[in-house]
Amino acid sequence: MCGIVGILGRQPVASSIVEALRRLEYRGYDSAGLATLEDGRLTRVRASGKLHNLEEKLAAVRLTGEIGIGHTRWATHGRPTEINAHPHASDKLAVVHNGIIENFRELREELTAKGHVFATQTDSEAVAHLVTEAMRQGAGPAAAVAAALPRLRGAFALVFLFNAEPDLLIGARRGSPLAVGWGAAGVYLGSDALALAPFAHTIAYLEEGDQVIATRAHVVFHDAAGREVERRRQPLLAGSFLVDKGNFRHFMAKEIHEQPEVVGRTLAHYLDLAAGTVRLPFELSFDPKTLSRVTIAACGTAYYAGLTARYWLERLARLAVDIDVASEFRYREAPLPENGLTIVVSQSGETADTLASLRYAKQHGQHILGIVNVETSTIARESDTLALTLAGPEIGVASTKAFTCQLAVFACLAIALGRARGVLSEADEKRLVGELVTTPGLMADALNHEARLEPVAHDIARASSVLYVGRGVAYPLALEGALKLKELSYIHAEGYAAGELKHGPIALIDDNMPVIVLAPPDATLEKTISNLQEVAARGGHIIFIGSARAREAAAAELAGFVELPDIASAFAVIVYAVPVQLLAYHAAVFMGKDVDQPRNLAKSVTVE
Ligand code: F6R
């Protein structure tokens, strides 16, 4: 979940390493560091906290090394101190690591017994010493890395720099992503294409188990069995990876505001807009008619997208759906029926638990459909069928536009499967597609009323605990709303199915705790309003998100009202996501929180 980079350049590389790390900061920002080779000597500069702390330190030193590695950390083992910051080094090498080395304790004991002195509490340092030990026994760099890798348990991507090798970087991947880029000024290694975009014109991805030996003139890949292999080199279009806030104060604000466009783009990819039908941009690897069950596995916000889709797949395609968070699903040993479909959902396409769920399902004979935002990611590549969300790079750590694009893809999929299974008629499809295409415009309307919602967000910011409630598809959105508020503002929040309140949580209600009622206009609206009455009767502090008509029907005293148009659409919940995101965003901004990089989080969670 950290970001790693390596550069074999023809000029001093420190500033380019920092630039690449800035693009990788979404993967973690507990500390950052780099190492370059200065006249045959490894020089490391590291700092705890965000990248600008490293930059401040670098301003005071002149690094001239034309080869180097860098790291931005999301701490797993050891506190986010400078000592624990990567690169980790020995007298022979420095290494940056993304992932977890599960057996680091036993390696540490073994190597300490051989005289190695550990300076940090990290798992990663064991890798530096393990390779160093092999070199002490006489192995060259490549042989030492090759000997060390099979001894490592866990998931990782690594890049090594050696103090006697001014023209060599070695990279390895098992479980965590790593790519090689070629540019006019050198050869680059990095966690993803985003990091390499300013420098490289072509890129190749390491496959699972690969090792890469890179010099300025030659890049050689070896597979897990040690065989020399080719990896496809493809063009890297720098323009498509612009990391820019535009006129917005935060990436998150920009990404919330991009939603009408990216949801529209995603829908255009899945719909025949002229015919008013769904036209999936891929062949299905299964026959929808004989599909026995759909299983969905994902994490966090992507899981909530799946939870929403369960309602659509059950209702519109009459499919039985089982869904779980990927971290549980992967260990449940769930029996998976013959001719079943497993859908994994992931913005990054690298989430370790989701990837493991995919592999479990694959082993058990399931068809795999991946709904993914990063086309080149591991989940995208390992899925039988790839359903892309066209959200573009999502930089804000809290997911926003990826979520609504996931919902858009699921909506199209549910209609397509309903049609293919003979459950929906042609007229049903036309009606549903007609409703779906109104979504981007309605999202734009919702965004136009942003200012009206700010005072409500400020009211929420004063609370120490908040409840979100909804029914039907608004229930997963209630969960998502609570997650957004928690992660951005650090205010405790919980999402509940509105009908569950009376089974316990209603005991919490008092006039200090905002209860945010999500009331889209569907068959559950009346019931949601009854639940709202139960809260009102107990003096609850109610914030209502719904239409003016629904508010009138609610006939209760409200502490806040976020008005949305009366949306006659089965997919209104996609529009309702906008005020839910904005409330969390504005509450956090009001509180002075770092909305783009909330504490303790990372954008791409490649550890389990
Ligand atoms: C919350 C958030 C996370 C991610 C989760 C899965 O705002 O962003 O909960 O949704 O870590 O990540 P992906 O979608 O990359 O698999």
Side-chain angles (χ1 to χ4, degrees), residues 129-162:
H129 290 288
L130 191 64
V131 176
T132 302
E133 178 60 24
M135 291 179 78
R136 283 189 191 160
Q137 303 300 323
V145 172
L149 292 179
R151 302 237 20 229
L152 302 177
R153 280 209 310 272
F156 53 79
L158 298 160
V159 180
F160 296 89
L161 168 68
F162 301 88

Side-chain angles (χ1 to χ4, degrees), residues 97-138:
H97 166 223
N98 166 29
I100 287 182
I101 306 299
E102 288 170 2
N103 57 334
F104 80 101
R105 278 195 193 81
E106 72 196 54
L107 291 173
R108 198 178 166 109
E109 268 173 34
E110 174 190 321
L111 291 159
T112 305
K114 288 185 175 151
H116 292 258
V117 179
F118 281 74
T120 78
Q121 290 102 44
T122 65
D123 54 337
S124 318
E125 195 186 359
V127 181
H129 290 288
L130 191 64
V131 176
T132 302
E133 178 60 24
M135 291 179 78
R136 283 189 191 160
Q137 303 300 323

Side-chain angles (χ1 to χ4, degrees), residues 299-302 345-349 351 354 397-399 406 483-484 487 603 605:
C299 300
T301 293
V345 194
S346 177
Q347 186 286 128
S348 61
T351 300
T354 311
V397 165
S399 190
Q406 286 158 358
L483 175 64
K484 282 287 93 87
E487 64 183 336
K603 185 71 184 158
V605 186

Side-chain angles (χ1 to χ4, degrees), residues 450-451 453-454 457-458 461 581-591:
E450 183 170 5
L453 142 168
E454 281 184 47
H458 299 168
Q581 295 164 348
L582 286 173
L583 281 180
Y585 170 77
H586 283 293
V589 170
F590 183 67
M591 294 168 78

Side-chain angles (χ1 to χ4, degrees), residues 427-438:
D428 291 332
E429 179 180 17
K430 284 236 156 70
R431 174 179 51 78
L432 289 165
V433 169
E435 291 173 7
L436 202 46
V437 292
T438 63

